[in-house]
Structures are given as C-alpha cells and as structure tokens.
Amino acid sequence: MPMRTAQIAWRNLGRNKKRTALALLAIAVAQFALLATDGLMRGYSDNIRLAITGPMVGHVQAHHPNWRREWALDLAIDEVDRIVSTIHEDPDVGDVSARIYAPVLVAPEEDAFVATVVGLSVDSESNPYGVLSGLKHPLERGKVLMGYRLAKKIGAKPGQEVAVIGQAADGSLANDLYIVQDIIKCPADIINQSGIVMSLQDAQRLLVMPNQANEIVIRAKTSGKSRDITRRLSQRPRFAAIEVLPWQEIVPELVLILKMSDYVGYFALVIVFVAAIAGIANTLMMSTFERVHEFGMLLALGTQPRRIVRMIVCEAIFIGILGVVIGTALGYGFVAGTAERGIDMASWGGEGQVEDMAYQGLNLPLHIYPRLEPVDSLLGLIAVIITSMAASVWPAWIAGRLEPVEAMRA
Amino acid sequence: MSSSILVEAKGVTKVYTTGKVEAHALRGVDIEFRVGDFAAIVGPSGSGKTTFLNLVGALDVATDGELRVLGNDISRMTKRQRADLRLNSIGFVFQAYNLVPVLTAQENVEFVLELQGAGEQRSNRAKEVLAQLGLDAYSSRRPNELSGGQQQRVAVARAVAANPKLVLADEPTANLDGENSDILLKMMRDLNEAQGITFIFSTHDPRVVTYARRVVTLVDGRIDNDVTKNSATSSAE
Ligand SMILES: Nc1ncnc2c1ncn2[C@@H]1O[C@H](COP(=O)(O)OP(=O)(O)O)[C@@H](O)[C@H]1O
Ligand SMILES: [Mg+2]
C-alpha cells in the first residue's frame, strides 16, 4: 500500500515539471553551498591545525614553568640532551626539537636592527613540518637563515656577513659574526618578521647556555595524541620542574578560530534549511491548491484523509532527497575538482593585496585544499528531510480537512 | 423492513446556511429505492438533485428526516464510518474529472480496489472489468490520453469493479455529446440487467432519461413525480 502512495507521489512530481525543477534547484543549490562551504572550512581548519601543530607550536611543548609568562632567556630547561632522549622514549612521539629564543641586534653594515635569534635542532626541524623542511641545503654551523621580511627591511642578501649582538643568559655580552646562508619564508611569522635562525649549538655558545634550551617542541607521529603525550611526560620524575602543555592550551585563541570555522558550517546549514523550506513549501502549497478537486474526488470515493496527507508528505520528501542528491553530486564535484590543486584564497582579495594571514605569530596559509567528511552530506540530507516534512504540514493539514463535496466544487 | 430496499428516505430535508441566507435544497423527501432499480432523478437546475445524491451517497448529512442507506442510518454515522460505507458499498461516477490524472485507466481501477483492501488479485480484477466493458484498449492510457466519453466509461468500470450494491452518478453525461451519452447509458443499463447493480443517476438530458426504468422528478426540493416504466427498452432505440 505505501508503495502505491509513493508511486503516485513520484508521478505527481512530473505534473508541473518547471515548478518541481525550481524546487529541486533551490535545494540543490543550498546543499551545494553547504558542501562547498564545509569543504573550504575543513581545508582552512586543516591549514590552521597544520600551521599550529606543524612548524611553530608542535603538538606538545615543554618549558621552564615561568617561561611563558616572562620570556626571559635564563628561564631555561637544563640537561636538554637527556630530556630530549627521554621524550623520544614515548611511543607516540615523532620529532623533538629544542629551541632558544633571544632578542638581539643584527648589523649588516653600520646600522643595527632588532631581531630574534632562534636556535633550533637542525636535524629534527629539517623533517616534514619542521621550520627548515623547505630548505634545499641543511643549515651549516656558523651560518644563519634570515626571515624574508627582516632581510628585506635591512637589505641583507645570501652570502653576506652580519654581526649579531645581544645579552647572554649569564649577563655577559653576546657577540659574533655569521654568514647569511639563505633567506627563508616559513609558516612561523615571528621568523619571517625578525628571525635569525641558527643551530641550537651555535645559539647555546653565543648566549652562554650550555646544554640548555627555552623550549622543546614535540611533534606526534599522528594527530590527536597531544593530550596523551602530555599526560605521560608530566608523570615522569625528570619533568618535575618542567611545564608540559598540549597545543590546545598553548594557543587557545587558535582553538577558538577552529571552533568558529565549525560555526560557519552551521550557518550554511541554516541556509540550506531556509532554502529547502522555501522551495518545498511553495511547491507543495501550489500543487495542493491545484489539486483540491482531485483530493475531493478521492475523499468522495472513501479514501482516508491520512492517505492523502501521506501522499503530500511523500512528494515533499522525494523533492527533498532528489534535491539533496543533486546538490551533493555538485558539491562533491566541486571539492573533488579543487582538492588536488587547492584554491588560492589570497588571490580573492585582489592582486597582491593579501599574501597570507598572520595571527599570533603564526602564518596561516591561504592556499586551501577543500576536503569533505561523510557526515557533511548527511547533515544536509537530514536537514532537508526534516524540512520536507515540516514544509508539508500546512498543505497536508489543509488536504486532510477537506470536505469531499465542497472540494469537488473547486 | 424488506432487505430488497436499498435506500429509504422519510421526510428528508436539507438546508444550506451561508451566513444569514438559508437555502432549502430538499423540503421533505419520502422515497425508496430497491435492488435492481435503474432510476433517473430529473428536474430543473437547483431542484435538489445533487443534494439528494450526496445524501444518499453518505457524502453529506441531512438537516432533518430519516435516511437509511444499505441498512445504515446515515445521520448516526461518523465521518469515518461514512467514508468506509462509500468505499466498500457504493460506486460513484461524477460529472467530470473522475480519474487520478497520473494513473492509467487500469491503475485507476486498481487504486480503488486497493483502497478497499483487495490483495494480489486486484490487477486481474481491474483487467477483467475493463475487458468486460470493452475498455481493454484504454487500460494503459492516462486520463489525458482519453476522450471525455472514454474517461466516463473508465469511471463506470471503476465504480462497479468491486461489485457494489449501489452506484450513484450525478449528471454523468453532462459533458458528453449524444453519441457518447448513449454509449455510457447502455453500458450502465447492461450492468444493471446482467449483474443486478442498482443505479441512481441524475440528468436533465431528455435523451438520457429514456434509458431509465424509473424516473423521479424533483421540483424545488420536493418529489413532484415518480414513474416506473413497464419496459425500459421501449423508448431509447
Ligand atoms: N453548498 C451549498 N451551499 C448553499 N447552497 C447550496 C449548496 N449546494 C446547493 N445549494 C443550493 O441548494 C439548491 C439545490 O441545489 P442542487 O442540489 O445542487 O440542485 P441541482 O443539482 O438539482 O441543480 C440550490 O438552490 C442551490 O443553490
Ligand atoms: Mg447538480
């Protein structure tokens, strides 16, 4: 019996093809927009997450307990070599890099400019997602890499010798000459703006920090392990005087941005709802009013009103599902078509207007690789089915209350 | 009460109230219809023909009086009970647009059989009825592929498919030309004679009246005349 209802409902969709097509279009466009938005937002979230957990912050960090408050050079972790090998014992840990950050002056000629010495573990940072992963030749001892914005500002070129002057951890004068090996552009904005990147050993010597570091950056082998790693390390006696934090607690603002991109998805979902309601409700109202006489005839023959209601609801759901299927195909087509090469959102801001977006010392790349999860299309489908049923309530109510004799006079 | 009485009306009145205006459509109708009747309700426009057929068909309820149809007191039935009575015991042929536009002739017949709860045999039964009435050629056509006369014949096939005791037809030939009216009425009378199905139909077409064995004339909501002919075949041919 329901089969026949479905069959009639299906055929009824063909009665006014133009109107049905319009309703389908409204829903399909909405679902497409939802998936395209989801795809872009997921791609963007991936960028943010990678930028955070990749080169700059890593998944987990270890510091002197006061480092994050005062950023003073002497708030350092001692016996870094042993700490690093202890961290490597954790099964989920991939790369470990120890870093030193120190404010200095850099002088290519007579003038001096403010800069930041970033000393880091060259081997570890040369692996994928490391700060040096894009480098052609490994960073050599006695040489430095210079952030591209700093280099532009002070007019430094590769091969040039620069003087680096600052205060060492013990209060003495730190002072040495380095060759600029290369100019770098990397996801860590602090490095682009002011970075003088050198090996950890060079930094330790320059700043008189034997076997010390300000920060240890840990990258997990797979994502989603940061809290586990944090918990295990914190429990080890060697870390009694060391603060270990997952990235979510180090950059909570960025976690917020990630959450916000989810809300954009919800907003798109609301648009799908509204478009679906408008499309389906309009179609159903019009087709119901047109068929009052026909419904009257069916009621006169003895058809139960709920049977007619079921037919209308069925029509609504068919339109809804069909529209979602079309929209899903278009949406997946869009994402599949752009996933490989990505979309350069920076170019949307006009020629040369925006490069990348810098936030909290992090450079968030605007080249987005759209990506979808199965749940994305499901949400639209559920939304549209609920909406279809909601949109059919009013016409179904009207149809269900028709008096056969009066309806047949229509 | 004899079981051969299908419809029994005593002092049936129907008043339509629209705002302050009252329309007295029926003003006390007393009449009986028996199994095998082939009756025409005639009368000028506005005389109450449609109102009377709607009451007999349990589509509406009388304002006053007593009306028993197939043993049921219509005024005491719920809406749902009346719908079930219509579905299971009464066949209907309306003036026009009898058929579901998206269903073929055969499917239209099957649809009502299915509503009545017929099982797998409904498809065969629909074919059988259409064939019996010489409509097999139309069985896979949709209403918009049929002429008005063809549509009305399919409507009759649908009305009799489940062997109802009573078939009501309100001006079934109103939109048909003379030739098609003849075909339809002959078909109805054949069904009446061969299967004993009772027909009550309204018309204001004198040509159609000639097919009736009994002619009930309504004037201004009252029965003005009720004549039963000796031989139904005497006039039309
Ligand atoms: N729904 C209605 N509301 C008000 N008046 C009605 C309604 N139906 C019929 N009438 C009135 O009742 C009278 C009988 O109508 P009807 O039964 O349709 O006559 P017929 O079918 O013989 O033309 C007419 O005066 C008509 O105007
Ligand atoms: Mg009438």
Side-chain angles (χ1 to χ4, degrees):
Chain A
M1 196 135 131
M3 199 48 233
R4 177 71 75 170
T5 304
Q7 194 182 359
I8 295 176
W10 177 254
R11 291 190 194 172
N12 277 330
L13 294 185
R15 280 166 85 166
N16 193 329
K17 294 199 172 66
K18 204 167 144 193
R19 196 166 58 206
T20 303
L22 267 173
L24 287 178
L25 191 72
I27 298 161
V29 165
Q31 172 75 352
F32 168 77
L34 175 72
L35 290 180
T37 312
D38 279 350
L40 288 172
M41 287 326 291
R42 283 196 190 281
Y44 185 59
S45 297
D46 289 349
N47 278 1
I48 297 178
R49 206 168 274 123
L50 271 183
I52 299 170
T53 60
M56 194 60 195
V57 180
H59 290 106
V60 178
Q61 288 188 355
H63 308 106
H64 184 285
N66 292 335
W67 163 260
R68 291 193 337 119
R69 239 175 299 131
E70 296 173 33
W71 283 67
L73 198 58
D74 58 336
L75 297 175
I77 297 173
D78 296 321
E79 292 192 80
V80 166
D81 289 349
R82 289 173 70 177
I83 296 283
V84 166
S85 44
T86 305
I87 294 171
H88 268 300
E89 286 168 16
D90 191 286
D92 286 327
V93 167
D95 287 316
V96 182
S97 171
R99 292 177 182 169
I100 287 174
Y101 297 95
V104 293
L105 292 175
V106 59
E109 310 278 339
E110 280 99 64
D111 292 334
F113 300 86
V114 175
T116 308
V117 160
V118 180
L120 38 71
S121 311
V122 174
D123 288 349
S124 163
E125 299 280 9
S126 298
N127 288 336
Y129 300 122
V131 169
L132 307 180
S133 62
L135 223 55
K136 282 178 222 96
H137 306 288
L139 176 59
E140 296 168 28
R141 297 290 295 269
K143 294 188 175 177
V144 297
L145 302 165
M146 191 174 284
Y148 79 103
R149 286 181 195 268
L150 175 66
K152 200 172 165 190
K153 189 167 78 183
I154 71 178
K157 302 245 154 21
Q160 189 175 343
E161 197 175 46
V162 293
V164 174
I165 307 130
Q167 194 180 31
D170 62 358
S172 66
L173 182 74
N175 183 5
D176 215 335
L177 291 173
Y178 298 90
I179 305 281
V180 177
Q181 182 179 316
D182 212 343
I183 310 293
I184 60 164
K185 180 177 177 182
C186 85
D189 199 53
I190 181 176
I191 291 177
N192 292 336
Q193 297 285 357
S194 68
I196 309 274
V197 179
M198 60 180 68
S199 71
L200 180 69
Q201 291 78 1
D202 281 353
Q204 283 172 342
R205 178 137 35 83
L206 172 70
L207 300 159
V208 194
M209 295 174 70
N211 205 9
Q212 288 182 315
N214 298 117
E215 178 172 281
I216 297 175
V217 173
I218 302 164
R219 282 186 206 100
K221 285 177 185 148
T222 54
S223 59
K225 297 280 199 249
S226 47
R227 290 188 189 276
D228 291 347
I229 294 173
T230 304
R231 187 172 33 78
R232 286 193 294 261
L233 291 181
S234 304
Q235 284 164 358
R236 303 191 69 145
R238 205 184 284 282
F239 287 79
I242 298 174
E243 179 186 60
V244 186
L245 291 174
W247 65 271
Q248 291 93 335
E249 286 173 40
I250 293 165
V251 280
E253 322 81 38
L254 290 172
V255 176
L256 209 67
I257 291 190
L258 288 175
K259 280 220 183 87
M260 255 156 63
S261 68
D262 283 347
Y263 291 133
V264 173
Y266 293 136
F267 184 69
L269 191 62
V270 169
I271 294 178
V272 174
F273 262 104
V274 171
I277 287 193
I280 299 175
N282 175 56
T283 304
L284 288 187
M285 281 312 260
M286 280 162 65
S287 71
T288 301
F289 283 131
E290 270 174 18
R291 285 185 284 166
V292 163
H293 181 96
E294 186 180 325
F295 293 154
M297 181 269 293
L298 288 173
L299 291 169
L301 294 179
T303 310
Q304 285 298 318
R306 65 181 144 79
R307 174 114 189 191
I308 290 168
V309 169
R310 223 161 43 207
M311 199 163 76
I312 293 173
V313 174
C314 213
E315 286 173 29
I317 291 177
F318 279 156
I319 293 184
I321 291 179
L322 205 61
V324 166
V325 167
I326 295 170
T328 303
L330 293 175
Y332 271 87
F334 165 76
V335 170
T338 52
E340 190 89 352
R341 293 156 130 242
I343 295 177
D344 196 10
M345 300 289 269
S347 66
W348 291 14
E351 193 122 354
Q353 290 299 300
V354 195
E355 282 185 54
D356 284 334
M357 214 170 80
Y359 184 83
Q360 297 266 326
L362 266 184
N363 205 37
L364 304 181
L366 285 175
H367 196 89
I368 292 175
Y369 297 89
R371 176 175 71 83
L372 284 173
E373 306 243 331
V375 69
D376 295 338
S377 55
L378 209 65
L379 273 183
L381 183 67
I382 293 168
V384 166
I385 288 177
I386 293 172
T387 312
S388 311
M389 295 173 88
S392 59
V393 166
W394 175 235
W397 189 79
I398 290 178
R401 285 173 49 99
L402 287 175
E403 280 293 331
V405 175
E406 282 165 33
M408 275 200 298
R409 267 206 302 266
Chain B
M1 191 71 40
S2 163
S3 64
S4 69
I5 294 176
L6 291 184
V7 178
E8 187 183 19
K10 277 187 195 149
V12 168
T13 65
K14 179 68 183 178
V15 182
Y16 293 108
T17 313
T18 328
K20 286 178 192 161
V21 185
E22 287 192 344
H24 293 259
L26 294 177
R27 302 169 187 265
V29 171
D30 302 302
I31 197 165
E32 283 176 4
F33 291 94
R34 288 167 184 277
V35 172
D37 267 352
F38 194 74
I41 313 283
V42 300
S45 180
S47 58
K49 303 184 293 294
T50 296
T51 302
F52 180 69
L53 285 175
N54 285 348
L55 293 180
V56 173
L59 284 162
D60 206 347
V61 188
T63 311
D64 204 357
E66 198 184 314
L67 178 63
R68 298 184 72 82
V69 178
L70 303 169
N72 303 281
D73 184 346
I74 299 293
S75 63
R76 288 170 187 267
M77 295 172 86
T78 64
K79 221 173 143 174
R80 168 83 198 242
Q81 285 171 325
R82 285 191 281 119
D84 286 344
L85 175 68
R86 294 198 298 272
L87 181 63
N88 296 314
S89 310
I90 305 175
F92 287 91
V93 179
F94 306 108
Q95 195 172 319
Y97 307 112
N98 272 287
L99 306 174
V100 179
V102 295
L103 297 181
T104 64
Q106 158 125 6
E107 288 166 337
N108 263 285
V109 177
E110 275 184 47
F111 181 70
V112 174
L113 289 170
E114 188 209 298
L115 287 177
Q116 290 166 335
E120 292 306 310
Q121 78 279 14
R122 63 174 179 258
S123 173
N124 289 333
R125 174 62 188 151
K127 275 198 195 100
E128 187 185 28
V129 173
L130 288 169
Q132 204 176 31
L133 299 179
L135 301 170
D136 4 15
Y138 313 141
S139 57
S140 59
R141 294 202 208 161
R142 292 199 187 178
N144 63 359
E145 297 164 333
L146 296 171
S147 73
Q150 290 162 350
Q151 287 182 38
Q152 289 302 77
R153 273 171 262 162
V154 172
V156 170
R158 182 187 60 188
V160 301
N163 298 312
K165 293 201 175 63
L166 176 63
V167 174
L168 301 173
D170 189 11
E171 309 223 22
T173 62
N175 297 330
L176 303 187
D177 59 21
E179 192 187 338
N180 275 300
S181 300
D182 282 339
I183 297 173
L184 192 73
L185 262 294
K186 272 188 195 135
M187 181 192 233
M188 286 162 58
R189 208 181 55 195
D190 286 349
L191 283 163
N192 169 260
E193 283 169 1
Q195 295 174 33
I197 298 174
T198 306
F199 279 84
I200 307 176
F201 54 95
S202 70
T203 184
H204 54 244
D205 181 353
R207 186 188 175 113
V208 168
V209 178
T210 58
Y211 286 88
R213 269 200 307 276
R214 181 179 173 188
V215 180
V216 178
T217 309
L218 276 179
V219 175
D220 203 14
R222 287 192 184 88
I223 292 180
D224 186 62
N225 204 356
D226 184 353
V227 185
T228 302
K229 299 178 202 165
N230 294 330
S231 168
T233 47
S234 59
S235 43
E237 275 82 356

